[in-house]
Amino acid sequence: MPCVRSFTVLPALPEALKDLEVIAKNMFWSWNPEYVELFKRIDSNLWLDSGHNPVKMLGSITQEKLDELTENQGFLAHLQSSAEKFKLYLKRKTWYDQTCSKSVKPIIAYFSAEFGLHESLPIYAGGLGILAGDHLKSASDLGVPLVGVGLLYQKGYFRQCLSINGEQWEEYVENDFYSMPIELVRKEDGLPLTISVDYPGRCVLAQVWCVSVGRVKLYLMDTNIPENSTGDRMITSSLYGGDRELRIRQEIMLGIGGLKALFAMDIKPTVCHMNEGHAAFMALERIREIKSTQNITFNEAVEATRAGNVFTMHTPVKAGLDEFNVELMEKYFGDYFPTLDIDRKQFLSLGRILPDDDGETFKMTVLALRLSGFANGVSKLHSEISRGIWGSIWPGLPLNEVPIIPITNGIHIKNWLSDEMNSLYQRYLGPNWDDEAMNKQLWNNVEQIPDGEFWQIHQRCKEQLIVFARNRLKTQMERRGTYHSEINHAEEVLDPEILTIGFARRFAGYKRGNLLLRDPERLVKMLTDPERPVQVIFAGKAHPKDSEGKDIIKHIIQFAEQYNVKRRLVFLENYDIDMARILLRGVDLWLNNPRRPLEASGTSGMKAAVNGALNMSTLDGWWCEGYKPEGGWTIGAGQSYEDGNYQDAVESQAIYDVLENEVIPLFYTRSTDKLPRAWISRVKNSIKWIAPQFNTHRMVADYTRRFYNPAMAKYNYLTETDCNKAREFSKWKAEINEAWHEFAVKDVIMEVRNGDGNKKLNLKQSQLKVGSKLSVRTLVKLGKIDPKDISVELYYGPVDAWGNIRHGSAIRMDYEEPAGSQEEHWFAGSMSCKNAGQHGVAVRVLPMHNDLVNPYEMGLILWESTN
């Protein structure tokens, strides 16, 4: 092969246009319409041809065009205004400055396998990446001191192509990093910064790229460099591609390499946030690093770092959870775990629900949970389900107390809002409405928007959607070699006056993309109704290895052909951020029908809502919290089914019933001025309820208050003065663990006061009256452990048919006195009987220490024995 010496050619912008390059290289432009308009103003066709990529566009502009722009005073004024606004944004006081501690800010490192910032940076696949991108944007707007960490994929996720029969195949297009809004991180000598990560028998190098996202930096590792072997250059080749071995190699680079990259840039995070389990190896590297630099033991390093780790889980679906067999773990970590000073069994137990089960795989979710002080699900229902799935990591703990709390997802509203709707909000909510997105009172002003003006804006967005859909369909037909006469029919597809339903998401079986098609006769009747017709736009990709998802796509496309409804039912291929924006802004109704409870959260319906669409969904994910009868519709009532086919039959009929009896009549009922005023009223109710709650400003503020700030404080406390507090804490834990088997609840004495004076209680025979006070004394054996190191509690609540307490509450008992033996102690407490019904009470013992992030983190709980 010839020797090729590469170099980078940069656009030569005249001095008067230098600010264009500054703006283009910061993704701030992607969620601020005036910056997009600035680039369109240069050359709207070139903007489209460049894939909405300003860096690529600036590198393609002729020098003659650039010279013209320097003489265009209107353009220069626009550029100057935009540049000044950007500088002001970077300097102004933020929410974090105003509401959080004035002391030294933490550095929060946010690790994610994908980031969906914009279509010009295609390193995302779906909801996980879109959520991560919105997280960074809100962190920037709020001033939260956060950096993102991910991988830079040479081919990203695939581009979807569909045959005329609906067969999906995948095309992978290589990214040209030097024409994207990213920059190499360089050392002082100008050479690219590289980091080295150990793999079996070799070291793999990665260079680091930086994406500027407003105030936030996103760092991405790239192994496609000449110093690596061909196989290792493929580690960052594509997102979610390859086999399990490629996956573990990618996740080592993300977690271990990501932390190494931060340290190489002298960025030392106090809080590390793992967005899903892909990044969980980061926690191991954090332990290894602090252990080696502070000369502490493995257990001491675990205590020092756990307090500063945050873990967010995103799915209860097994296919979305990474686990690796023992052979693969030994291959890639056989030389790593000795650096932690632990043996093979200890290492593998970190990723197992049952630590001693040699047949269990190594689960990334378990690793993250064991090594994180803070963990959450992404909706209330998802957290409840997750506590059920992973609760056995905390043996004996009631499920409602498993330390996985809900922080419900949101969206970066301005990023997803149409320009037209943004202008409407500016007029009626205020010019800086987006700074107050969390303010519920602000959104009440939606009522001030005249119905006619609101509907006109919505219809304009709908027309833009239909133009886009027709053009996309023509492109699809041309690529397939469709006859010219049929291509012309694409101009007649869809109608802006018809009720338009959108369904777009990843096509996985549990999302049931073809549920709407289950009763063809009933659906076709709605699609072709001459008075009140309906039209449906589908879009979404199936994973390359998901044959079920591919079959669903095929079914939809063949359905349109078979029943001759291609003008009313269309499938747009290659769903991405660009298409999502247009689709979400233009539909009237957003349909979502996952099989409960498998949709962890979902965010597309939130995006549709703020743009003026109504939601119709099963009660799953975020919709359990987002649904209000006056602002949307549910499919079913959230029932549980054992038979999936029966569930599909019931819920598909529920969809038709709601459409025929409620949605369609409401949409087509018009006042004398031809406005659907009742529909618009419901849309406004939806916006007022959804917008202030389901946005990433609120979400990131929740993470900051509930996780980041407490994690920072605890991490700094444990690691100060050479990690002395971590050493002491680890020693205390070891003593508790060693003595725990000696603990016992020796005796429980209960008395009730109900107006007849005190009397001893036999719970099997006694009936208490509401208002009675139950007093309890218990004798607990603690061995040599000081009573101040444990918490003795009364746990009480309603009991089920099996005699188990459900949704119980705990009251801490007070230390009373030692018993005759110095190893035994009396504790006392009381509780009031406030509600009638069958209730139960139990005594339990937990470790107690000020440095515990939560009382359950040790996984130790002792209940009074029934023996």
Side-chain angles (χ1 to χ4, degrees):
M1 293 179 64
C3 177
V4 178
R5 294 175 173 82
S6 61
F7 52 90
T8 305
V9 179
L10 302 174
L13 295 177
E15 189 63 32
L17 303 178
K18 287 296 184 183
D19 283 334
L20 271 178
E21 187 173 4
V22 175
I23 294 171
K25 289 185 176 180
N26 191 304
M27 299 299 292
F28 180 70
W29 59 261
S30 69
W31 72 92
N32 286 274
E34 73 175 74
Y35 297 90
V36 175
E37 287 304 315
L38 181 70
F39 294 120
K40 285 183 180 178
R41 188 169 177 175
I42 296 172
D43 187 325
S44 59
N45 290 326
L46 190 56
W47 174 251
L48 290 173
D49 292 342
S50 68
H52 306 156
N53 180 347
V55 173
K56 184 176 181 180
M57 188 182 83
L58 291 179
S60 305
I61 298 174
T62 64
Q63 200 63 43
E64 180 182 10
K65 180 64 176 179
L66 292 173
D67 291 339
E68 284 180 19
L69 291 173
T70 61
E71 302 297 325
N72 186 329
Q73 295 305 310
F75 178 82
L76 292 177
H78 189 173
L79 174 58
Q80 182 180 1
S81 171
S82 298
E84 289 300 321
K85 181 181 177 181
F86 180 49
K87 291 174 186 175
L88 181 64
Y89 171 85
L90 295 178
K91 293 178 181 178
R92 75 184 185 190
K93 207 166 190 178
T94 66
W95 170 87
Y96 190 90
D97 296 327
Q98 294 168 348
T99 61
C100 296
S101 172
K102 301 297 187 292
S103 61
V104 177
K105 290 183 178 181
I107 297 176
I108 301 147
Y110 180 83
F111 291 75
S112 182
E114 50 175 303
F115 286 90
L117 290 163
H118 189 261
E119 63 267 22
S120 62
L121 191 59
I123 55 170
Y124 62 91
L128 179 72
I130 302 301
L131 186 281
D134 282 10
H135 193 115
L136 297 193
K137 291 167 187 173
S138 279
S140 171
D141 288 344
L142 298 178
V144 177
L146 181 145
V147 297
V149 182
L151 300 178
L152 186 60
Y153 303 99
Q154 188 67 56
K155 295 180 181 179
Y157 205 47
F158 69 90
R159 293 187 181 180
Q160 180 193 50
C161 296
L162 299 173
S163 72
I164 195 167
N165 294 319
E167 300 277 357
Q168 173 184 291
W169 77 88
E170 299 82 32
E171 288 184 352
Y172 290 89
V173 179
E174 295 206 359
N175 290 319
D176 178 7
F177 300 152
Y178 294 93
S179 295
M180 294 167 68
I182 58 176
E183 294 184 285
L184 268 175
V185 176
R186 298 183 182 274
K187 298 181 291 186
E188 290 184 1
D189 59 9
L191 295 175
L193 173 74
T194 59
I195 53 116
S196 175
V197 179
D198 290 335
Y199 283 76
R202 66 200 188 279
C203 291
V204 177
L205 300 180
Q207 59 187 4
V208 184
W209 297 78
C210 178
V211 186
S212 295
V213 188
R215 299 181 179 93
V216 166
K217 300 294 185 185
L218 167 60
Y219 296 103
L220 303 168
M221 272 75 65
D222 167 25
T223 64
N224 187 19
I225 56 177
E227 294 85 346
N228 290 329
S229 68
T230 301
D232 289 336
R233 294 180 73 162
M234 297 296 289
I235 290 174
T236 55
S237 58
S238 62
L239 176 59
Y240 303 142
D243 56 13
R244 302 306 298 169
E245 187 153 10
L246 177 59
R247 179 65 65 87
I248 197 173
R249 291 161 68 193
Q250 289 183 330
E251 295 186 0
I252 288 170
M253 184 56 65
L254 172 62
I256 297 176
L259 197 64
K260 282 177 172 284
L262 293 180
F263 281 116
M265 294 180 287
D266 200 30
I267 299 171
K268 297 179 180 177
T270 45
V271 179
C272 291
H273 185 169
M274 294 166 274
N275 189 41
E276 201 36 277
H278 309 117
F281 291 140
M282 177 282 302
L284 296 175
E285 180 63 13
R286 200 175 190 196
I287 292 169
R288 190 202 63 78
E289 192 278 334
I290 199 170
K291 177 184 173 299
S292 61
T293 57
Q294 298 295 325
N295 192 29
I296 57 179
T297 67
F298 172 78
N299 288 333
E300 290 165 349
V302 168
E303 300 313 327
T305 57
R306 178 195 276 125
N309 288 342
V310 173
F311 173 51
T312 297
M313 54 185 67
H314 282 268
T315 180
V317 180
K318 184 176 175 61
L321 301 171
D322 282 330
E323 51 187 83
F324 302 107
N325 62 46
V326 172
E327 291 73 25
L328 210 52
M329 292 303 298
E330 288 180 327
K331 177 178 179 179
Y332 281 90
F333 286 90
D335 293 331
Y336 186 90
F337 66 74
T339 67
L340 302 174
D341 285 338
I342 58 175
D343 60 28
R344 173 185 179 275
K345 183 177 180 180
Q346 287 174 291
F347 174 72
L348 292 174
S349 71
L350 293 172
R352 287 171 166 167
I353 296 175
L354 301 174
D356 297 325
D357 183 359
D358 288 336
E360 186 179 343
T361 56
F362 190 94
K363 298 174 176 62
M364 297 295 279
T365 300
V366 175
L367 177 66
L369 285 170
R370 290 199 189 281
L371 298 181
S372 296
F374 303 85
N376 73 286
V378 289
S379 70
K380 289 179 180 178
L381 177 61
H382 175 232
S383 296
E384 179 184 331
I385 298 301
S386 297
R387 288 192 289 269
I389 294 173
W390 306 109
S392 55
I393 294 175
W394 297 268
L397 189 64
L399 288 182
N400 65 301
E401 294 186 280
V402 170
I404 300 172
I405 71 165
I407 296 182
T408 302
N409 281 346
I411 61 165
H412 188 282
I413 295 178
K414 196 170 181 182
N415 181 67
W416 295 100
L417 206 61
S418 69
D419 296 352
E420 294 83 358
M421 193 65 77
N422 179 52
S423 297
L424 197 64
Y425 287 168
Q426 286 180 336
R427 288 199 296 279
Y428 292 95
L429 276 61
N432 299 315
W433 66 266
D434 52 308
D435 292 334
E436 300 181 69
M438 295 180 277
N439 182 354
K440 293 182 180 180
Q441 292 299 117
L442 171 82
W443 291 98
N444 288 334
N445 293 327
V446 167
E447 290 291 353
Q448 305 303 316
I449 303 174
D451 288 353
E453 191 172 354
F454 188 95
W455 192 246
Q456 184 180 30
I457 291 294
H458 176 70
Q459 283 298 104
R460 193 179 305 162
C461 293
K462 192 171 177 181
E463 289 163 2
Q464 292 169 3
L465 164 61
I466 289 174
V467 169
F468 174 88
R470 289 171 176 173
N471 290 335
R472 179 59 65 95
L473 288 170
K474 283 196 290 186
T475 301
Q476 291 174 201
M477 292 176 176
E478 288 168 354
R479 183 185 49 74
R480 297 171 188 158
T482 309
Y483 291 116
H484 185 73
S485 59
E486 190 168 342
I487 292 175
N488 289 337
H489 289 165
E491 293 289 352
E492 301 171 0
V493 166
L494 305 175
D495 184 330
E497 299 302 320
I498 289 178
L499 171 62
T500 304
I501 301 173
F503 184 101
R505 52 195 31 88
R506 181 168 55 88
F507 272 75
Y510 76 90
K511 292 180 182 284
R512 300 189 295 182
N514 57 349
L515 189 63
L516 184 62
L517 280 55
R518 191 173 177 96
D519 187 335
E521 183 178 348
R522 206 166 172 186
L523 175 59
V524 170
K525 184 179 179 181
M526 283 189 279
L527 294 173
T528 59
D529 188 305
E531 301 296 326
R532 303 186 305 182
V534 169
Q535 57 194 11
V536 188
I537 302 176
F538 287 95
K541 299 176 179 178
H543 187 278
K545 296 180 180 178
D546 185 356
S547 57
E548 182 183 11
K550 289 184 175 182
D551 286 343
I552 292 172
I553 293 173
K554 190 192 305 183
H555 180 198
I556 293 169
I557 292 172
Q558 292 180 353
F559 182 97
E561 181 72 36
Q562 179 182 353
Y563 293 95
N564 194 27
V565 288
K566 290 191 293 183
R567 293 184 182 180
R568 293 286 180 265
L569 192 151
V570 301
F571 196 107
L572 304 180
E573 68 182 18
N574 200 40
Y575 187 53
D576 64 0
I577 289 177
D578 181 39
M579 185 189 295
R581 277 196 303 265
I582 296 168
L583 186 55
L584 290 157
R585 294 168 178 177
V587 297
D588 300 305
L589 182 74
W590 193 254
L591 177 63
N592 186 29
N593 43 237
R595 182 173 284 118
R596 177 186 165 103
L598 299 179
E599 181 88 308
S601 177
T603 59
S604 59
M606 306 172 192
K607 298 160 192 165
V610 298
N611 278 290
L614 290 173
N615 275 272
M616 177 177 168
S617 175
T618 47
L619 281 171
D620 200 7
W622 80 282
W623 194 233
C624 296
E625 302 158 59
Y627 168 67
K628 290 287 182 182
E630 64 274 17
W633 293 276
T634 64
I635 302 167
Q639 302 98 323
S640 297
Y641 296 85
E642 293 184 5
D643 185 334
N645 286 328
Y646 178 69
Q647 180 179 6
D648 291 352
V650 170
E651 293 183 343
S652 64
Q653 292 302 310
I655 292 176
Y656 302 132
D657 289 342
V658 174
L659 286 174
E660 292 169 346
N661 299 321
E662 297 189 42
V663 177
I664 295 172
L666 189 71
F667 180 83
Y668 282 106
T669 299
R670 305 297 167 107
S671 57
T672 54
D673 53 9
K674 299 184 179 180
L675 290 176
R677 291 191 180 273
W679 180 276
I680 295 169
S681 175
R682 188 172 282 233
V683 169
K684 289 180 178 179
N685 288 335
S686 169
I687 294 171
K688 287 188 297 181
W689 172 249
I690 290 172
Q693 294 192 91
F694 300 98
N695 64 76
T696 43
H697 280 30
R698 186 274 312 155
M699 182 192 80
V700 172
D702 279 355
Y703 277 115
T704 302
R705 293 189 186 105
R706 302 177 71 179
F707 282 0
Y708 296 160
N709 287 344
M712 171 197 67
K714 185 69 75 174
Y715 175 81
N716 287 341
Y717 167 78
L718 290 172
T719 56
E720 66 186 9
T721 60
D722 299 323
C723 295
N724 282 341
K725 292 295 183 183
R727 296 174 199 267
E728 294 171 6
F729 188 34
S730 177
K731 181 181 177 184
W732 176 85
K733 276 193 170 182
E735 291 171 352
I736 295 294
N737 275 309
E738 184 178 353
W740 192 258
H741 72 281
E742 300 177 5
F743 286 22
V745 178
K746 303 289 289 185
D747 193 11
V748 176
I749 301 172
M750 295 188 180
E751 293 183 338
V752 63
R753 182 183 301 159
N754 60 10
D756 300 329
N758 291 353
K759 61 179 181 180
K760 288 190 177 181
L761 180 68
N762 182 336
L763 286 178
K764 292 184 179 179
Q765 300 172 353
S766 299
Q767 294 179 331
L768 280 65
K769 295 180 180 179
V770 171
S772 299
K773 187 173 183 179
L774 188 65
S775 298
V776 182
R777 293 182 76 230
T778 184
L779 180 65
V780 181
K781 180 184 178 183
L782 298 177
K784 297 179 181 179
I785 296 300
D786 195 305
K788 69 178 177 57
D789 290 331
I790 58 101
S791 175
V792 180
E793 298 176 347
L794 286 178
Y795 185 75
Y796 67 97
V799 296
D800 61 18
W802 303 97
N804 298 313
I805 296 173
R806 298 298 182 193
H807 307 293
S809 301
I811 298 176
R812 188 179 169 199
M813 302 176 72
D814 297 322
Y815 179 69
E816 197 173 59
E817 59 186 358
S821 165
Q822 291 300 312
E823 293 187 351
E824 297 181 353
H825 304 266
W826 284 101
F827 293 80
S830 63
M831 55 167 283
S832 297
C833 301
K834 299 179 180 179
N835 301 302
Q838 190 74 12
H839 291 263
V841 63
V843 174
R844 69 184 190 181
V845 182
L846 293 162
M848 185 174 71
H849 194 285
N850 287 337
D851 293 344
L852 288 168
V853 173
N854 64 70
Y856 320 115
E857 72 172 69
M858 294 180 68
L860 299 177
I861 184 168
L862 172 68
W863 296 90
E864 176 192 5
S865 173
T866 56
N867 295 330

